[in-house]
C-alpha cells in the first residue's frame, strides 16, 4: 500500500480530497474500493462457473457438466485471481458468455442471425479487454469451412455477420 501511495503521489493523481479528515480515512476509502473490486471479481467467477455449466450442458450430460463447472469454480488459480486486481476474471467471463451465445447461434434456427451478430459483438468487446482474441475471426472461418463444407453462400453469410459485429 505504501508503494501504491508513493507512485500515485509522484504521478500527481489521487490526492486526498478535502472531505477526508486525514490520510488514514483516505487510505480506508481506497481499501473499501479494492474490496468492492474483489467482491465483483468473486461474483464474476461464480457467474463464469454458471455460464460454463450452461455451455457444457449443451454438449454433454448434465451431471458431467455440473462436475466440470464445480471443478472450474474451485480451481485454486481462479480463486487466487479473485484477490488480484487483474483483468483475467473479466476476460474469462466474457469469453464464456461469447462462446455460449455462439453455440446458441448454431442451435436456434429462428434467432440464428441475431445470436451470431450478438456473439460477434460480445467477442469484439472481449477483444477490447484482452487483444489476444483478435485471432478469433480466422479460427471462426476455419470452423465455418469445416461446418459448411461446400455451401459457400452460408459460409460467407455467417462469416460476414460475425466479423461485421466483431469489428463494428
Amino acid at each position: 500500500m505504501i508503494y501504491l501511495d508513493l507512485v500515485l503521489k509522484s504521478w500527481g493523481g489521487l490526492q486526498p480530497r478535502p472531505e477526508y479528515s486525514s490520510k488514514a480515512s483516505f487510505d480506508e476509502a481506497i481499501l473499501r474500493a479494492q474490496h468492492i473490486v474483489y467482491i465483483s471479481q468473486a461474483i464474476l467467477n461464480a457467474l463464469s462457473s454458471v455460464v460454463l455449466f450452461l455451455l457444457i450442458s449443451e454438449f454433454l450430460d448434465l451431471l458431467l457438466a455440473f462436475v466440470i463447472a464445480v471443478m472450474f469454480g474451485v480451481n485454486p488459480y481462479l480463486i487466487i485471481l479473485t484477490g488480484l486486481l487483474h483483468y483475467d476474471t473479466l476476460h474469462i467471463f466474457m469469453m464464456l458468455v461469447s462462446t455460449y451465445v455462439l453455440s446458441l447461434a448454431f442451435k436456434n434456427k429462428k434467432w440464428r442471425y441475431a445470436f451470431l451478430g450478438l456473439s460477434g459483438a460480445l467477442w469484439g468487446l472481449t477483444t477490447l479487454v484482452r487483444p489476444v482474441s483478435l485471432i478469433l475471426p480466422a479460427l471462426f472461418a476455419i470452423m465455418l469451412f469445416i461446418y459448411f463444407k461446400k455451401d459457400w453462400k452460408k459460409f460467407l453469410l455467417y462469416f460476414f455477420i460475425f466479423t461485421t459485429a466483431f469489428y463494428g
Side-chain angles (χ1 to χ4, degrees):
M1 189 67 184
I2 295 170
Y3 174 74
L4 179 65
D5 188 40
L6 290 173
V7 169
L8 291 176
K9 279 186 181 177
S10 68
W11 174 58
L14 284 183
Q15 298 295 327
R17 290 191 228 147
E19 65 253 17
Y20 295 112
S21 60
S22 68
K23 181 166 174 2
S25 63
F26 179 70
D27 290 342
E28 289 172 9
I30 288 178
L31 285 175
R32 269 184 271 143
Q34 285 179 342
H35 289 299
I36 291 171
V37 170
Y38 296 149
I39 290 170
S40 65
Q41 288 186 152
I43 291 170
L44 276 177
N45 284 336
L47 288 174
S48 295
S49 296
V50 171
V51 174
L52 182 67
F53 170 74
L54 292 173
L55 177 65
I56 293 176
S57 65
E58 294 278 328
F59 305 103
L60 299 175
D61 182 34
L62 286 178
L63 180 63
L64 186 59
F66 179 74
V67 169
I68 291 172
V70 167
M71 287 174 59
F72 176 77
V74 298
N75 180 6
Y77 179 68
L78 193 71
I79 295 170
I80 290 170
L81 279 178
T82 302
L84 299 174
L85 294 172
H86 209 254
Y87 57 84
D88 280 344
T89 303
L90 179 62
H91 189 251
I92 289 169
F93 174 73
M94 292 187 71
M95 277 189 352
L96 287 170
V97 169
S98 304
T99 306
Y100 179 64
V101 173
L102 185 62
S103 74
L104 289 178
F106 284 95
K107 295 259 182 197
N108 192 340
K109 292 185 189 259
K110 183 178 180 184
W111 295 95
R112 177 168 288 173
Y113 301 119
F115 281 138
L116 195 60
L118 179 63
S119 175
L122 288 172
W123 272 110
L125 290 174
T126 303
T127 304
L128 290 176
V129 173
R130 191 168 181 192
V132 72
S133 42
L134 275 171
I135 190 87
L136 184 72
L139 299 174
F140 186 68
I142 293 169
M143 184 201 73
L144 285 177
F145 182 74
I146 293 169
Y147 187 74
F148 288 121
K149 293 182 177 116
K150 295 184 181 184
D151 193 359
W152 286 98
K153 287 182 181 179
K154 281 190 177 181
F155 169 81
L156 290 175
L157 177 66
Y158 279 48
F159 189 70
F160 178 75
I161 291 172
F162 182 83
T163 54
T164 302
F166 183 87
Y167 291 115

